[in-house]
Every structure is written in structure tokens, then in C-alpha cells.
Amino acid sequence: MDYDLTIENDLIEVFPADSGDITVDAARYSLLAGGKRLRPKMMYMTYQMLTGEDDVSCDVRYFATTLEMIHTYSLIHDDLPCMDNDDLRRGKPTCHKKYGEGVATLAGDLLLNTAMERLFRIILDKPEYAYACYKMASLAGGSGMIGGQSIDISSEGKKISLEKLYELQRKKTGALIETAIVTPYYLINKVDMNDPASDTVLDKLIRFAGHLGLAFQIRDDILDVDSDPATLGKSTGKDERDNKSTFVTLLGYDEAKVKLDNEIEMANQILDELAASGFKVDSYREMTEYLRKRKN
Ligand code: GRG
């Protein structure tokens, strides 16, 4: 199955071209501007790992598209002058550079709202997906991504503790990565909502996601120092310029690389456990290696 083609085709269908509405055009512009599509890909990988199937179900594709919309909204809002004030995203002018701040704010809102509409819509047909929908909304919310962004904003210009940085990144970046990795499990299995950790496979997936989320973020901090805008598709050197606390500024460049290796190692140990239980983990093995070395 061609992941990239499937993801792109599913995204293209969400917002029509030439809609006649500038907010829809702006949302479409950012959603289709490229991007690595890591979160939908992780969703596909978990589904294939858990089911052993070569293809991915329509429902998983639906959730993957929804998650990419939430991710894209967060990037649009994060790039606004009132937040990170960035001109370049996914190798193109940011949404507000192209459409202005008002429309970009609305485009982000539209992406988030459409994602929520989709979650409610699918519960109408399939009430058994309610927990998956609830988890996606909550991990994107105050105890997840928005909560992480809130810590980020209130830490501007300050040196924060390493412990606080872990909390910030676990929420800001890690929460959506957890959604990506774990959602297929919720679609396939009935989970005891009062005691999700009693489910050993679920517990492994959540811990795996935690390590991958941290690895992703540490690499992101390293790339901000190591890379250039042409390769990365977004501006670099911003963390130092904005006096941000990152894994590189708090741990130092070399120690951050060691920490990245540790996170990948721990993620791989969980893959060993999943493999021992009979799950096919090959694509996730490739993903962990990719995250260690990615260039953009
Ligand atoms: C505005 C509510 C709100 C949240 C913003 C995601 C985020 C929170 C901010 C983005 C800033 C940033 C650099 C976060 C670090 C990690 C991250 C999410 C990077 C972008 O994700 P990629 O690399 O992007 O997967 P692509 O473009 O490939 O999809």
C-alpha cells in the first residue's frame, strides 16, 4: 500500500478546490502544503501491526485524515505573529503570510472544528468509537497539545527545569504522537476506561509513543541547530534567538544526542516485546531509525 498517495488523496477530498471561501482556501493551502505526514503514517503502521493486514481500513484512514487536520491547525496557529511568528512552513510561506492573520486564525479554527465535526459524525454511525474520539480530542486539548503550548508560551525567555521541559514536550508534541500510535488500538479493541493500563498491549503502545514523541522532539531541537531552512522547510536557529529552553540548550548538543539514542533504544525494547507477542514490528523499526536520523 502506498502510504503517501493514500494520505494525500484522502486529504485532498476534505476541502474542495476553488470553494469561493477564503478561509476554506487557506485551510486547504496549509493542509496540502506537503509535510511528512508522520502522524497518519504512524496510525497506518499501528493498524497493520495489530491486524497483520496489508491494507488500512477506511475508518483508520478517516481518523488519520482527522488527526492531520488537527496537526495542521496547530502549525498555522503556532506560526502566527502572536505565537512563534514564522514566515516559512513546509517550505512555503506560512498561512498568515499568504492570507493575512485574520484568515489564518480562522483557517486554523476551521481545521480544528472540522476535525471535531468528523469525530462526532463517526460516533453517530459507530458509537463504539466514542473512546477513540474522546482520546483524540483530549490529547489535542488542555491536558495535551494546547496545555503544552500554554507552558511553552508562559516559559518564553525563561530557563525552565529539565522536568518542566519534559512535561511541556510530552504534551505539546508527544500527545498527538500518542494519538497517532494508539488510536487504531481503540478502534479495534474495547478498553476499560477506568483502568486502561491493565491492558498490557495498550500500555506498551502508550509507553512506545512516549519514547517516540521525545525522540521526535529531541531530533527537532537538534535540527534547529544543525539544519538550514531549505532542507527543513521552516526557519532554523530560532530556539537560540528566542532564548528558548530546549533539549539542546538544557542538556548541551552532545548530551541531547545521547538522550535521543536512549529514547530510540527504549522504543526498540518495547518493539522487541511486541514482536515476542507475535506482532509484526518491521515498519516501526524503520520509523524509529528514521526518527533518530531524519533531516527534516
Ligand atoms: C497552537 C495549540 C497550538 C499548538 C502548537 C505543534 C505545535 C503546538 C507547535 C509547532 C512548533 C513546533 C516546532 C513543535 C515541535 C514539533 C513539531 C510538532 C513539529 C512539526 O511537526 P512535523 O515535523 O511537521 O511532523 P510536518 O510539517 O512534517 O507535518
Side-chain angles (χ1 to χ4, degrees):
M1 163 177 203
D2 186 330
Y3 280 11
D4 289 297
L5 192 67
T6 310
I7 292 165
E8 241 31 60
N9 283 342
D10 286 349
L11 289 172
I12 284 168
E13 278 181 21
V14 186
F15 294 106
D18 306 319
S19 66
D21 182 307
I22 193 160
T23 301
V24 174
D25 291 350
R28 183 180 167 88
Y29 167 78
S30 290
L31 194 61
L32 302 183
K36 297 181 286 298
R37 312 304 192 201
L38 286 179
R39 293 152 194 82
K41 283 177 189 164
M42 286 175 180
M43 222 184 257
Y44 286 17
M45 282 177 191
T46 303
Y47 180 80
Q48 289 176 324
M49 178 176 84
L50 294 175
T51 61
E53 286 174 23
D54 289 334
D55 275 334
V56 168
S57 76
C58 291
D59 290 348
V60 169
R61 285 168 51 185
Y62 182 92
F63 276 88
T65 304
T66 307
L67 180 58
E68 188 65 14
M69 291 165 65
I70 296 174
H71 169 59
T72 304
Y73 119 75
S74 80
L75 299 179
I76 294 175
H77 281 190
D78 187 67
D79 289 335
L80 286 169
C82 60
M83 294 219 188
D84 253 13
N85 194 15
D86 258 308
D87 294 351
L88 190 66
R89 172 67 68 182
R90 295 177 162 170
K92 298 198 169 76
T94 46
C95 195
H96 67 273
K97 277 281 150 191
K98 188 163 166 76
Y99 289 95
E101 281 177 47
V103 171
T105 306
L106 274 181
D109 293 341
L110 178 64
L111 283 162
L112 175 60
N113 206 80
T114 308
M116 294 304 142
E117 286 173 39
R118 288 166 65 91
L119 296 183
F120 281 117
R121 180 71 194 80
I122 200 160
I123 297 174
L124 291 175
D125 290 335
K126 301 190 173 173
E128 67 274 22
Y129 288 169
Y131 189 66
C133 295
Y134 158 73
K135 285 300 289 183
M136 186 175 285
S138 101
L139 284 164
S143 55
M145 182 179 69
I146 293 176
Q149 182 76 347
S150 179
I151 300 174
D152 198 10
I153 282 184
S154 54
S155 313
E156 252 166 38
K158 290 184 206 153
K159 186 170 179 194
I160 58 173
S161 67
L162 195 53
E163 200 180 30
K164 198 76 191 161
L165 182 65
Y166 277 120
E167 184 193 349
L168 190 169
Q169 300 304 3
R170 186 172 48 75
K171 292 178 173 173
K172 184 173 112 168
T173 310
L176 283 207
I177 290 183
E178 178 181 323
T179 314
I181 291 175
V182 182
T183 293
Y185 190 85
Y186 298 136
L187 300 182
I188 298 167
N189 300 281
K190 192 156 172 47
V191 173
D192 178 356
M193 282 169 55
N194 296 316
D195 191 12
S198 64
D199 186 321
T200 51
V201 176
L202 176 58
D203 183 57
K204 285 186 179 52
L205 285 177
I206 292 175
R207 287 189 294 111
F208 175 68
H211 293 303
L212 273 205
L214 268 177
F216 175 88
Q217 185 58 51
I218 298 169
R219 185 72 196 152
D220 217 64
D221 292 351
I222 290 171
L223 286 171
D224 187 71
V225 179
D226 257 0
S227 192
D228 55 86
T231 313
L232 210 50
K234 60 182 182 180
S235 51
T236 51
K238 283 201 68 199
D239 295 338
E240 196 182 342
R241 191 196 75 200
D242 296 345
N243 199 16
K244 277 209 167 183
S245 293
T246 72
F247 288 104
V248 172
T249 61
L250 292 194
L251 294 174
Y253 182 86
D254 291 338
E255 195 55 36
K257 282 201 151 170
V258 171
K259 181 80 194 141
L260 169 60
D261 285 341
N262 286 345
E263 293 302 327
I264 296 290
E265 175 60 32
M266 286 189 276
N268 280 331
Q269 278 173 18
I270 298 174
L271 289 184
D272 292 342
E273 293 170 27
L274 288 165
S277 304
F279 294 109
K280 256 187 89 195
V281 298
D282 307 12
S283 30
Y284 266 131
R285 290 245 189 253
E286 282 174 31
M287 175 60 89
T288 55
E289 235 7 77
Y290 163 78
L291 288 181
R292 190 204 301 269
K293 295 182 186 144
R294 72 187 173 95
K295 299 275 180 238
N296 70 353

PDB file of all heavy atoms in Angstrom, residues 35-36 39 71 73-75 77-78 90 145-146 149 172-173 216-217 220 234, ligand 1:
ATOM      1  N   GLY A  35       4.553  18.379   3.978  1.00  0.00           N
ATOM      2  CA  GLY A  35       4.610  17.837   5.347  1.00  0.00           C
ATOM      3  C   GLY A  35       4.925  16.362   5.261  1.00  0.00           C
ATOM      4  O   GLY A  35       4.640  15.710   4.252  1.00  0.00           O
ATOM      5  N   LYS A  36       5.487  15.872   6.327  1.00  0.00           N
ATOM      6  CA  LYS A  36       5.973  14.477   6.284  1.00  0.00           C
ATOM      7  C   LYS A  36       4.855  13.468   6.494  1.00  0.00           C
ATOM      8  O   LYS A  36       5.037  12.289   6.254  1.00  0.00           O
ATOM      9  CB  LYS A  36       7.041  14.301   7.379  1.00  0.00           C
ATOM     10  CG  LYS A  36       8.261  15.196   7.140  1.00  0.00           C
ATOM     11  CD  LYS A  36       9.333  15.022   8.204  1.00  0.00           C
ATOM     12  CE  LYS A  36       9.009  15.649   9.534  1.00  0.00           C
ATOM     13  NZ  LYS A  36       8.841  17.119   9.525  1.00  0.00           N
ATOM     14  N   ARG A  39       2.174  11.519  11.380  1.00  0.00           N
ATOM     15  CA  ARG A  39       1.123  11.028  12.281  1.00  0.00           C
ATOM     16  C   ARG A  39       0.158  10.078  11.562  1.00  0.00           C
ATOM     17  O   ARG A  39      -0.119   8.988  12.093  1.00  0.00           O
ATOM     18  CB  ARG A  39       0.424  12.232  12.953  1.00  0.00           C
ATOM     19  CG  ARG A  39       1.391  12.959  13.897  1.00  0.00           C
ATOM     20  CD  ARG A  39       1.120  14.429  14.080  1.00  0.00           C
ATOM     21  NE  ARG A  39       2.230  15.118  14.715  1.00  0.00           N
ATOM     22  CZ  ARG A  39       3.333  15.544  14.058  1.00  0.00           C
ATOM     23  NH1 ARG A  39       3.449  15.357  12.749  1.00  0.00           N
ATOM     24  NH2 ARG A  39       4.325  16.128  14.695  1.00  0.00           N
ATOM     25  N   HIS A  71      -3.236  18.530  13.518  1.00  0.00           N
ATOM     26  CA  HIS A  71      -1.805  18.879  13.491  1.00  0.00           C
ATOM     27  C   HIS A  71      -1.580  20.157  12.661  1.00  0.00           C
ATOM     28  O   HIS A  71      -0.869  21.075  13.084  1.00  0.00           O
ATOM     29  CB  HIS A  71      -1.028  17.690  12.921  1.00  0.00           C
ATOM     30  CG  HIS A  71       0.393  17.970  12.579  1.00  0.00           C
ATOM     31  ND1 HIS A  71       1.308  18.413  13.512  1.00  0.00           N
ATOM     32  CD2 HIS A  71       1.079  17.873  11.399  1.00  0.00           C
ATOM     33  CE1 HIS A  71       2.490  18.577  12.930  1.00  0.00           C
ATOM     34  NE2 HIS A  71       2.372  18.268  11.653  1.00  0.00           N
ATOM     35  N   TYR A  73      -3.726  22.547  11.931  1.00  0.00           N
ATOM     36  CA  TYR A  73      -4.254  23.741  12.640  1.00  0.00           C
ATOM     37  C   TYR A  73      -3.228  24.239  13.649  1.00  0.00           C
ATOM     38  O   TYR A  73      -2.988  25.445  13.792  1.00  0.00           O
ATOM     39  CB  TYR A  73      -5.596  23.414  13.319  1.00  0.00           C
ATOM     40  CG  TYR A  73      -5.613  23.564  14.822  1.00  0.00           C
ATOM     41  CD1 TYR A  73      -5.658  24.830  15.435  1.00  0.00           C
ATOM     42  CD2 TYR A  73      -5.546  22.446  15.662  1.00  0.00           C
ATOM     43  CE1 TYR A  73      -5.629  24.954  16.827  1.00  0.00           C
ATOM     44  CE2 TYR A  73      -5.517  22.561  17.037  1.00  0.00           C
ATOM     45  CZ  TYR A  73      -5.556  23.821  17.612  1.00  0.00           C
ATOM     46  OH  TYR A  73      -5.514  23.948  18.981  1.00  0.00           O
ATOM     47  N   SER A  74      -2.591  23.294  14.371  1.00  0.00           N
ATOM     48  CA  SER A  74      -1.647  23.719  15.422  1.00  0.00           C
ATOM     49  C   SER A  74      -0.444  24.432  14.801  1.00  0.00           C
ATOM     50  O   SER A  74       0.086  25.387  15.367  1.00  0.00           O
ATOM     51  CB  SER A  74      -1.204  22.530  16.281  1.00  0.00           C
ATOM     52  OG  SER A  74      -0.191  21.770  15.654  1.00  0.00           O
ATOM     53  N   LEU A  75      -0.038  23.992  13.621  1.00  0.00           N
ATOM     54  CA  LEU A  75       1.103  24.646  12.961  1.00  0.00           C
ATOM     55  C   LEU A  75       0.712  26.059  12.503  1.00  0.00           C
ATOM     56  O   LEU A  75       1.480  27.011  12.656  1.00  0.00           O
ATOM     57  CB  LEU A  75       1.581  23.811  11.756  1.00  0.00           C
ATOM     58  CG  LEU A  75       2.068  22.386  12.071  1.00  0.00           C
ATOM     59  CD1 LEU A  75       2.491  21.671  10.791  1.00  0.00           C
ATOM     60  CD2 LEU A  75       3.218  22.389  13.068  1.00  0.00           C
ATOM     61  N   HIS A  77      -1.562  28.072  13.747  1.00  0.00           N
ATOM     62  CA  HIS A  77      -1.652  28.979  14.904  1.00  0.00           C
ATOM     63  C   HIS A  77      -0.282  29.223  15.522  1.00  0.00           C
ATOM     64  O   HIS A  77       0.027  30.337  15.932  1.00  0.00           O
ATOM     65  CB  HIS A  77      -2.632  28.409  15.941  1.00  0.00           C
ATOM     66  CG  HIS A  77      -4.071  28.648  15.585  1.00  0.00           C
ATOM     67  ND1 HIS A  77      -5.115  28.414  16.453  1.00  0.00           N
ATOM     68  CD2 HIS A  77      -4.641  29.107  14.435  1.00  0.00           C
ATOM     69  CE1 HIS A  77      -6.270  28.724  15.858  1.00  0.00           C
ATOM     70  NE2 HIS A  77      -6.010  29.130  14.634  1.00  0.00           N
ATOM     71  N   ASP A  78       0.545  28.188  15.562  1.00  0.00           N
ATOM     72  CA  ASP A  78       1.883  28.357  16.154  1.00  0.00           C
ATOM     73  C   ASP A  78       2.731  29.357  15.360  1.00  0.00           C
ATOM     74  O   ASP A  78       3.575  30.046  15.919  1.00  0.00           O
ATOM     75  CB  ASP A  78       2.588  26.994  16.206  1.00  0.00           C
ATOM     76  CG  ASP A  78       3.905  27.081  16.960  1.00  0.00           C
ATOM     77  OD1 ASP A  78       3.858  27.308  18.178  1.00  0.00           O
ATOM     78  OD2 ASP A  78       4.972  26.954  16.331  1.00  0.00           O
ATOM     79  N   ARG A  90       6.655  24.149   5.952  1.00  0.00           N
ATOM     80  CA  ARG A  90       6.550  23.121   4.912  1.00  0.00           C
ATOM     81  C   ARG A  90       7.104  23.651   3.578  1.00  0.00           C
ATOM     82  O   ARG A  90       6.548  23.404   2.502  1.00  0.00           O
ATOM     83  CB  ARG A  90       5.097  22.631   4.778  1.00  0.00           C
ATOM     84  CG  ARG A  90       4.606  21.920   6.044  1.00  0.00           C
ATOM     85  CD  ARG A  90       3.170  21.467   6.006  1.00  0.00           C
ATOM     86  NE  ARG A  90       2.913  20.456   7.028  1.00  0.00           N
ATOM     87  CZ  ARG A  90       1.720  19.993   7.368  1.00  0.00           C
ATOM     88  NH1 ARG A  90       0.645  20.448   6.784  1.00  0.00           N
ATOM     89  NH2 ARG A  90       1.600  19.063   8.293  1.00  0.00           N
ATOM     90  N   MET A 145      -1.876  18.774  23.784  1.00  0.00           N
ATOM     91  CA  MET A 145      -1.119  19.724  22.961  1.00  0.00           C
ATOM     92  C   MET A 145      -1.320  21.185  23.366  1.00  0.00           C
ATOM     93  O   MET A 145      -0.338  21.931  23.486  1.00  0.00           O
ATOM     94  CB  MET A 145      -1.498  19.522  21.490  1.00  0.00           C
ATOM     95  CG  MET A 145      -0.726  20.429  20.553  1.00  0.00           C
ATOM     96  SD  MET A 145      -1.160  20.143  18.840  1.00  0.00           S
ATOM     97  CE  MET A 145      -2.820  20.755  18.794  1.00  0.00           C
ATOM     98  N   ILE A 146      -2.569  21.588  23.582  1.00  0.00           N
ATOM     99  CA  ILE A 146      -2.793  23.003  23.949  1.00  0.00           C
ATOM    100  C   ILE A 146      -2.159  23.292  25.308  1.00  0.00           C
ATOM    101  O   ILE A 146      -1.544  24.355  25.509  1.00  0.00           O
ATOM    102  CB  ILE A 146      -4.307  23.344  23.938  1.00  0.00           C
ATOM    103  CG1 ILE A 146      -4.839  23.275  22.496  1.00  0.00           C
ATOM    104  CG2 ILE A 146      -4.556  24.740  24.520  1.00  0.00           C
ATOM    105  CD1 ILE A 146      -6.343  23.493  22.353  1.00  0.00           C
ATOM    106  N   GLN A 149       1.478  23.828  24.720  1.00  0.00           N
ATOM    107  CA  GLN A 149       1.733  25.135  24.098  1.00  0.00           C
ATOM    108  C   GLN A 149       1.596  26.245  25.141  1.00  0.00           C
ATOM    109  O   GLN A 149       2.333  27.237  25.106  1.00  0.00           O
ATOM    110  CB  GLN A 149       0.748  25.342  22.938  1.00  0.00           C
ATOM    111  CG  GLN A 149       0.932  26.640  22.171  1.00  0.00           C
ATOM    112  CD  GLN A 149       2.124  26.612  21.222  1.00  0.00           C
ATOM    113  OE1 GLN A 149       2.971  25.718  21.286  1.00  0.00           O
ATOM    114  NE2 GLN A 149       2.211  27.580  20.345  1.00  0.00           N
ATOM    115  N   LYS A 172       3.005  18.992  24.345  1.00  0.00           N
ATOM    116  CA  LYS A 172       2.936  19.754  23.087  1.00  0.00           C
ATOM    117  C   LYS A 172       3.156  18.865  21.862  1.00  0.00           C
ATOM    118  O   LYS A 172       2.398  18.918  20.900  1.00  0.00           O
ATOM    119  CB  LYS A 172       3.980  20.880  23.115  1.00  0.00           C
ATOM    120  CG  LYS A 172       3.917  21.778  21.891  1.00  0.00           C
ATOM    121  CD  LYS A 172       4.830  22.974  22.015  1.00  0.00           C
ATOM    122  CE  LYS A 172       5.963  22.875  21.016  1.00  0.00           C
ATOM    123  NZ  LYS A 172       6.732  24.105  20.885  1.00  0.00           N
ATOM    124  N   THR A 173       4.175  18.061  21.883  1.00  0.00           N
ATOM    125  CA  THR A 173       4.493  17.218  20.723  1.00  0.00           C
ATOM    126  C   THR A 173       4.045  15.777  20.952  1.00  0.00           C
ATOM    127  O   THR A 173       3.545  15.120  20.043  1.00  0.00           O
ATOM    128  CB  THR A 173       6.020  17.222  20.475  1.00  0.00           C
ATOM    129  OG1 THR A 173       6.466  18.565  20.450  1.00  0.00           O
ATOM    130  CG2 THR A 173       6.368  16.550  19.175  1.00  0.00           C
ATOM    131  N   PHE A 216      11.340  12.302  18.740  1.00  0.00           N
ATOM    132  CA  PHE A 216      10.971  13.241  17.668  1.00  0.00           C
ATOM    133  C   PHE A 216      11.363  14.668  18.064  1.00  0.00           C
ATOM    134  O   PHE A 216      11.951  15.416  17.293  1.00  0.00           O
ATOM    135  CB  PHE A 216       9.459  13.157  17.412  1.00  0.00           C
ATOM    136  CG  PHE A 216       8.970  14.165  16.409  1.00  0.00           C
ATOM    137  CD1 PHE A 216       8.972  13.875  15.056  1.00  0.00           C
ATOM    138  CD2 PHE A 216       8.543  15.418  16.812  1.00  0.00           C
ATOM    139  CE1 PHE A 216       8.544  14.819  14.126  1.00  0.00           C
ATOM    140  CE2 PHE A 216       8.120  16.367  15.895  1.00  0.00           C
ATOM    141  CZ  PHE A 216       8.116  16.058  14.553  1.00  0.00           C
ATOM    142  N   GLN A 217      11.031  15.032  19.313  1.00  0.00           N
ATOM    143  CA  GLN A 217      11.267  16.413  19.752  1.00  0.00           C
ATOM    144  C   GLN A 217      12.766  16.708  19.929  1.00  0.00           C
ATOM    145  O   GLN A 217      13.237  17.784  19.567  1.00  0.00           O
ATOM    146  CB  GLN A 217      10.523  16.675  21.066  1.00  0.00           C
ATOM    147  CG  GLN A 217      10.620  18.113  21.502  1.00  0.00           C
ATOM    148  CD  GLN A 217      10.064  19.077  20.454  1.00  0.00           C
ATOM    149  OE1 GLN A 217       8.952  18.891  19.982  1.00  0.00           O
ATOM    150  NE2 GLN A 217      10.844  20.078  20.063  1.00  0.00           N
ATOM    151  N   ASP A 220      14.106  17.294  16.690  1.00  0.00           N
ATOM    152  CA  ASP A 220      13.653  18.607  16.223  1.00  0.00           C
ATOM    153  C   ASP A 220      14.541  19.717  16.795  1.00  0.00           C
ATOM    154  O   ASP A 220      14.919  20.651  16.084  1.00  0.00           O
ATOM    155  CB  ASP A 220      12.197  18.829  16.676  1.00  0.00           C
ATOM    156  CG  ASP A 220      11.377  19.562  15.638  1.00  0.00           C
ATOM    157  OD1 ASP A 220      11.180  18.999  14.550  1.00  0.00           O
ATOM    158  OD2 ASP A 220      10.986  20.708  15.903  1.00  0.00           O
ATOM    159  N   LYS A 234      11.419  25.066   7.230  1.00  0.00           N
ATOM    160  CA  LYS A 234      10.997  26.078   8.212  1.00  0.00           C
ATOM    161  C   LYS A 234      12.257  26.762   8.720  1.00  0.00           C
ATOM    162  O   LYS A 234      13.368  26.266   8.489  1.00  0.00           O
ATOM    163  CB  LYS A 234      10.179  25.459   9.353  1.00  0.00           C
ATOM    164  CG  LYS A 234      10.911  24.396  10.171  1.00  0.00           C
ATOM    165  CD  LYS A 234      10.000  23.805  11.250  1.00  0.00           C
ATOM    166  CE  LYS A 234      10.755  22.785  12.083  1.00  0.00           C
ATOM    167  NZ  LYS A 234       9.984  22.167  13.147  1.00  0.00           N
TER     168      LYS A 234
HETATM  169  C1  GRG B   1      -1.055  26.420  18.605  1.00  0.00           C
HETATM  170  C2  GRG B   1      -2.429  24.881  20.049  1.00  0.00           C
HETATM  171  C3  GRG B   1      -1.188  25.154  19.356  1.00  0.00           C
HETATM  172  C4  GRG B   1      -0.211  24.253  19.439  1.00  0.00           C
HETATM  173  C5  GRG B   1       1.046  24.373  18.716  1.00  0.00           C
HETATM  174  C6  GRG B   1       2.626  21.711  17.226  1.00  0.00           C
HETATM  175  C7  GRG B   1       2.846  22.937  17.982  1.00  0.00           C
HETATM  176  C8  GRG B   1       1.933  23.238  19.106  1.00  0.00           C
HETATM  177  C9  GRG B   1       3.778  23.804  17.611  1.00  0.00           C
HETATM  178  C10 GRG B   1       4.666  23.614  16.454  1.00  0.00           C
HETATM  179  C11 GRG B   1       6.013  24.102  16.809  1.00  0.00           C
HETATM  180  C12 GRG B   1       6.997  23.025  16.862  1.00  0.00           C
HETATM  181  C13 GRG B   1       8.232  23.235  16.105  1.00  0.00           C
HETATM  182  C14 GRG B   1       6.772  21.944  17.566  1.00  0.00           C
HETATM  183  C15 GRG B   1       7.750  20.895  17.646  1.00  0.00           C
HETATM  184  C16 GRG B   1       7.438  19.639  16.957  1.00  0.00           C
HETATM  185  C17 GRG B   1       6.516  19.709  15.831  1.00  0.00           C
HETATM  186  C18 GRG B   1       5.112  19.454  16.147  1.00  0.00           C
HETATM  187  C19 GRG B   1       6.993  19.940  14.624  1.00  0.00           C
HETATM  188  C20 GRG B   1       6.194  19.906  13.406  1.00  0.00           C
HETATM  189  O1  GRG B   1       5.820  18.594  13.102  1.00  0.00           O
HETATM  190  P1  GRG B   1       6.355  17.852  11.794  1.00  0.00           P
HETATM  191  O2  GRG B   1       7.852  17.955  11.728  1.00  0.00           O
HETATM  192  O3  GRG B   1       5.714  18.773  10.685  1.00  0.00           O
HETATM  193  O4  GRG B   1       5.775  16.479  11.768  1.00  0.00           O
HETATM  194  P2  GRG B   1       5.215  18.411   9.202  1.00  0.00           P
HETATM  195  O5  GRG B   1       5.184  19.756   8.504  1.00  0.00           O
HETATM  196  O6  GRG B   1       6.199  17.464   8.577  1.00  0.00           O
HETATM  197  O7  GRG B   1       3.854  17.823   9.340  1.00  0.00           O
END
